[in-house]
Every structure is written in C-alpha cells, then in structure tokens.
Amino acid sequence: MKFILCGIIALFSLNSYAAECTDSVPDDFSKVGQTRLSVYFWDVYDATLYSPTGKYKQDERQALLLEYLRDIKAEDLIETTEEEWQKLELNSDKHEQWLEKLNSIWPDIKEGDCLLLVEKEDGTAEFYQGDKLLGEIEDKDFTEQFLAIWLSENSRFESERNELIGEK
C-alpha cells in the first residue's frame, strides 16, 4: 500500500511540475513538436517548441522550452551557446554582449529545472523559469541566432531539429 501511495504522490508531483514549466508559454501558443537531446549516453534535456499556429514558420513567433534532465552550471550553458553559434558560423559583434547578459540572468540548472525563451511581438526575447521572468534580451538578432541553435537547417542535431519543428 505504501508503494502505491508513493507512486501516486510522485505522479502528481511530476504533473504539477510539468505545468509549472509551461506556465509562461503564451496562452495562444500551441505545441509544434518536441524532442530529447542525448549526447552519447547522457540525456541532457527535453525540448518543446510552441508557436501561435502550432506549426513551424520562420517568420512566426516561437517559444522554446528546455526541461533539463541533469545538473548544468550556467557558465557551461553559456559556453555551449557560444560554441553552437561558432559551429553554425553565426557571427555578430554583439555575441560577447549577449553572453554577458545571459550570464547575468541564467541560473545554474538542477535536474528537473526548465528554461523558456518566449519571442515577443517585436522579435526580442524573454527568459522564464516557470512563471518567473529571469530577464530579457532586447535584440531581434539575438532571438534569431539563439533559436538557430535548434531550428537552423544547419543545426548539428538534425534529427532532433526535425522532431522539434514537427517534421517527424
């Protein structure tokens, strides 16, 4: 009986946590697709893409939710962001400025934490953790380049990109 009760409590805890992660997804957005990123045998995060139409269109607002499956320091997230921009050959004289801003708003991640990027009407980006606004980067170019890590046709995780944009 104790095992059944513990299982029920765990199930409700997971469902309430999942709801918390999506609290800041705009109400008029629908899920486009989702994927899990695994590197070698480590599961890193589950990613879900949202848009107003529920379909991927480059010229439409996006929201990207990352639900982490392991602990990751903020500095590692920032370093990986920079590396992915380099691999995609995305150049900007603002990269350092953007990375410094990310450093000031992103927390260290614990397993089960989530980060959400919401593209605003003007193309700039807001980052949330649950319903808490972590900060904004008021530059459309940042939003485009940040989302390109997952959504570019040149993303190094082609299969995961295709799942995320609803092509699989």
Side-chain angles (χ1 to χ4, degrees), residues 81-91 95:
T81 299
E82 182 177 28
E83 289 170 2
E84 292 302 319
W85 283 337
Q86 290 171 355
K87 288 175 185 163
L88 288 169
E89 298 179 1
L90 298 175
N91 298 311
H95 279 182

Side-chain angles (χ1 to χ4, degrees), residues 2-161:
K2 283 183 181 180
F3 294 112
I4 294 172
L5 184 58
C6 288
I8 291 171
I9 291 170
L11 182 61
F12 282 115
S13 297
L14 287 174
N15 285 339
S16 67
Y17 188 77
E20 182 182 305
C21 282
T22 59
D23 281 352
S24 296
V25 173
D27 290 337
D28 61 337
F29 278 38
S30 298
K31 184 168 78 169
V32 174
Q34 65 186 63
T35 192
R36 172 166 286 180
L37 178 69
S38 299
V39 178
Y40 301 109
F41 51 87
W42 289 292
D43 292 334
V44 181
Y45 56 74
D46 289 330
T48 307
L49 183 66
Y50 300 88
S51 76
T53 62
K55 299 193 182 319
Y56 174 66
K57 298 177 186 174
Q58 278 188 312
D59 61 346
E60 186 173 47
R61 291 176 59 212
Q62 311 291 327
L64 179 68
L65 175 65
L66 303 175
E67 298 178 66
Y68 289 89
L69 304 170
R70 54 184 304 209
D71 295 353
I72 304 175
K73 291 183 185 282
E75 65 190 51
D76 293 334
L77 290 175
I78 292 163
E79 183 179 305
T80 300
T81 299
E82 182 177 28
E83 289 170 2
E84 292 302 319
W85 283 337
Q86 290 171 355
K87 288 175 185 163
L88 288 169
E89 298 179 1
L90 298 175
N91 298 311
S92 174
D93 57 352
K94 298 179 185 176
H95 279 182
E96 283 303 313
Q97 175 187 345
W98 295 340
L99 294 169
E100 286 175 24
K101 180 68 175 176
L102 289 175
N103 190 48
S104 73
I105 62 176
W106 277 354
D108 289 337
I109 296 296
K110 300 289 181 211
E111 181 179 347
D113 284 350
C114 52
L115 288 177
L116 171 71
L117 174 140
V118 175
E119 184 177 356
K120 295 171 26 179
E121 292 285 345
D122 64 0
T124 61
E126 293 179 328
F127 284 97
Y128 293 87
Q129 190 168 38
D131 62 357
K132 178 184 175 195
L133 176 64
L134 297 173
E136 301 178 47
I137 298 185
E138 296 177 345
D139 189 325
K140 291 188 278 190
D141 292 336
F142 166 82
T143 307
E144 183 181 311
Q145 288 197 18
F146 187 80
L147 288 172
I149 294 169
W150 293 271
L151 304 179
S152 169
E153 291 179 3
N154 298 322
S155 172
R156 71 182 174 121
F157 301 105
E158 182 180 352
S159 175
E160 290 83 355
R161 177 221 181 241

